[in-house]
Amino acid sequence: MTTDATPSATLPGLRETKKQETRQLISDVATGLFLAQGFERTTIAEIATAARVAKKTVTNYFSRKEDLVLDHQDAFIASLAGTVSGRQAGESALSALRRAFTDAAAGTDPVAGFSGPDFARMIADSPTLSARLRDLHDLREAALADALADATGTPRGEIAPRTAAALLGAVHRTLFQRIQELTLAGQDNARISTTVIAEADSAFGMLEPSLADYATA
């Protein structure tokens, strides 16, 4: 029985691995083309040809052209809500998010905005990517509002968690933009990290009068 079961148990894993490899290949090839010739000027057909796959294969893996670039978007949208849901005992939402951002900045995490000058320039030069990034910030804030509602026992959609999420989301959005600005100004990640950690301390501190004890675990 062990011999018969092993192939059937292994094949789904192999298929999933192959899918992930294909997805990563397409993303890597697309990113190379976008950096070389610009996002707006690169077509899906060109990406498919360069990756040696069918055009439909590209669109099956990536429903939007922007998804080929912003491949951390799921983690990005969930990041703030996940931090609140996983906050430590006695820790407020503000404290948890402040700590998480400091850790992300110290680790130059791409989800926090560390992308390198070429990538940052590609985003800045593309109206499509810039618009999609704004959408992702909005989606992240909405997910945070739901997490704050759950954390405080408040019905989702009510004004208090939405307002708190807007304030906390604004700080994160501003810090993300700051990282991009400093990247485009030619600063390296180590210097940017030091700068934004200090600036984050000040920015989050501005919210303490209203949110210091909000959504404490």
Side-chain angles (χ1 to χ4, degrees):
M1 290 181 65
T2 301
T3 302
D4 292 339
T6 300
S8 62
T10 303
L11 283 175
L14 290 175
R15 283 196 294 268
E16 184 59 31
T17 297
K18 180 62 177 176
K19 286 181 181 180
Q20 291 300 321
E21 290 175 348
T22 300
R23 189 182 193 283
Q24 190 62 53
L25 170 65
I26 294 170
S27 178
D28 290 345
V29 168
T31 299
L33 289 173
F34 293 148
L35 291 173
Q37 59 192 38
F39 177 83
E40 308 293 348
R41 291 190 295 274
T42 303
T43 66
I44 295 295
E46 288 176 312
I47 294 167
T49 298
R52 298 184 179 181
V53 298
K55 183 178 177 180
K56 187 174 181 180
T57 300
V58 177
T59 56
N60 282 342
Y61 281 100
F62 301 93
S63 58
R64 294 186 183 92
K65 184 179 168 186
E66 304 94 287
D67 295 345
L68 286 156
V69 177
L70 303 169
D71 54 348
H72 294 291
Q73 60 182 295
D74 290 341
F76 181 86
I77 292 169
S79 59
L80 305 187
T83 296
V84 168
S85 298
R87 67 199 187 286
Q88 300 167 5
E91 190 174 40
S92 68
L94 174 60
S95 295
L97 290 167
R98 190 178 200 164
R99 172 180 52 78
F101 178 83
T102 299
D103 291 345
T108 63
D109 189 343
V111 174
F114 292 87
S115 60
D118 293 338
F119 198 90
R121 175 55 60 194
M122 176 179 63
I123 299 290
D125 288 345
S126 168
T128 302
L129 290 176
S130 295
R132 180 55 181 162
L133 188 56
R134 288 193 293 272
D135 289 342
L136 294 178
H137 279 291
D138 290 342
L139 290 170
R140 182 170 71 162
E141 183 181 308
L144 174 59
D146 286 344
L148 290 171
D150 295 345
T152 57
T154 306
R156 291 186 176 189
E158 290 203 357
I159 195 65
R162 289 173 62 186
T163 301
L167 293 170
L168 292 162
V171 170
H172 283 86
R173 191 183 302 235
T174 301
L175 291 170
F176 187 100
Q177 293 169 343
R178 181 65 167 147
I179 292 168
Q180 296 288 291
E181 290 169 3
L182 295 174
T183 300
L184 291 173
Q187 294 189 20
D188 61 32
N189 280 349
R191 184 178 176 188
I192 295 170
S193 175
T194 299
T195 298
V196 297
I197 286 173
E199 292 178 342
D201 188 58
S202 175
F204 283 114
M206 295 176 70
L207 301 184
E208 287 182 354
S210 56
L211 296 177
D213 298 319
Y214 183 73
T216 298

